[in-house]
Amino acid sequence: MTEHTPRNLVLAVQLFHRGFAYVLFEGPESPFDWGTKEIKQRDKNTGTLVEAKRLIDRYRPEVLVIGEMDGKATPRTSRIRKLYRMLVHLAAAEYVDVHRCSRSEVRACFAAVGARTKQEIAKAIARQIPAFAHRLPRPRREWMGADSRQSLFDAVALALTYYGRGIPSPYADEVAS
Amino acid sequence: MRIACADKNEEVLPPLVIAEEQTDMTHTETPPLCYLRTQRRIWGLTQKELARFMGINSRTQLSRVENSKRAPTIRSALACQVLFGIPPAALFPHLFDTVEDRVIRDVYERHEALSDTTSPKGLRKRELFALALARATINGNANDT
């Protein structure tokens, strides 16, 4: 009898100004858990890191997928940039592999299904994975603030882009043996 | 998993020993696997709604089942099968493993104890035990790959 623990879990995290969205996948079409966490405390970075560590401790993912933040074209505040760096350090301390996906890579991944904008990508995800279909955010107008559900779809897009790379699990050999 | 039945003196294999030590579901290092929460969220159900379907009084109790801190009752597990169409063994794989480990350990011991039997009843039991052990081996191999 084998130990049934979630194997090959991939955790994708998308940060936004009020907190972060996360999704855990067992496989490209098998979401295991997902959600958004709003950090209400003053020091949002510390609060985010505490929640991220809680997630990692709970699920022990093999891979953490985050957005690429090094490019100059990525409009992110210095706080979010710093938070991404802190997340990378946290993952390293927890022995979790980190993969980064740039926005252009995500767009290229979804271009095959004709999705270019965030809204179109979210719709494509909802079509591919029905579990997220009822969480689809309404189309954003110019005067509307960002919907936290959109961040959830951004996190899913990161995970699916990672799977699209076809990188084998870092522990595939151990599992096979 | 490898289960040897032939030699009486052969030691009980390590996986069974390890499994017994890990039967306390709240103290395993990696979280026990349960797909109840995943299924609930996939179908957009609230804890309150699912608790009602499962015949559970409160959200707290459901939360404990979802987090593998408490085993579901047979009624609740069957209610989940009716609702999601997934058998309890697939919905609560860690719980199934825990039960399977304990039962197979007993079966193995009984199978060995009956190795010298010649009575028809004893032989019939031994046949059952051998089948159960073979099934466990097949399931174990399938899960390993």
Side-chain angles (χ1 to χ4, degrees), chain A residues 80-91:
Chain A
I80 296 282
R81 283 172 185 273
K82 186 180 176 186
L83 185 50
Y84 270 112
R85 287 198 297 272
M86 291 160 87
L87 264 181
V88 171
H89 284 296
L90 172 67

Side-chain angles (χ1 to χ4, degrees), chain B residues 5 8-9 13 23 46 52 64 71 76 86 92 122-123 137:
Chain B
C5 318
K8 232 179 178 181
N9 297 323
L13 294 167
T23 47
T46 62
R52 194 174 168 188
R64 285 186 188 137
S76 301
I86 301 171
F92 307 99
L123 288 171
T137 310

Side-chain angles (χ1 to χ4, degrees), chain A residues 4 9-10 15 27 67 76 78 85 98 134 138 149 177:
Chain A
H4 272 288
L9 275 184
V10 170
L15 303 176
R76 289 291 193 158
S78 59
R85 287 198 297 272
V98 177
H134 61 280
R138 282 185 296 177
R149 285 177 296 180
S177 62

Side-chain angles (χ1 to χ4, degrees), chain B residues 1-60:
Chain B
M1 196 188 90
R2 190 169 53 87
I3 294 177
C5 318
D7 191 2
K8 232 179 178 181
N9 297 323
E10 193 165 337
E11 289 179 5
V12 177
L13 294 167
L16 295 176
V17 178
I18 292 166
E20 189 186 51
E21 288 164 0
Q22 291 179 344
T23 47
D24 183 359
M25 293 167 72
T26 57
H27 291 94
T28 48
E29 192 174 319
T30 48
L33 186 53
C34 172
Y35 287 102
L36 186 59
R37 177 181 151 88
T38 307
Q39 284 299 320
R40 176 176 66 76
R41 301 194 70 206
I42 281 174
W43 295 106
L45 291 172
T46 62
Q47 281 189 326
K48 197 175 174 183
E49 286 169 332
L50 182 57
R52 194 174 168 188
F53 283 122
M54 290 172 66
I56 293 175
N57 293 328
S58 69
R59 278 179 51 223
T60 315

Side-chain angles (χ1 to χ4, degrees), chain A residues 1-2 4 26 32 34 58, chain B residues 1 31 41 67 97 100 144:
Chain A
M1 287 116 317
T2 52
H4 272 288
E26 281 187 304
F32 185 73
W34 57 90
R58 182 172 181 187
Chain B
M1 196 188 90
R41 301 194 70 206
N67 292 310
D97 281 352
E100 191 187 35
D144 284 341

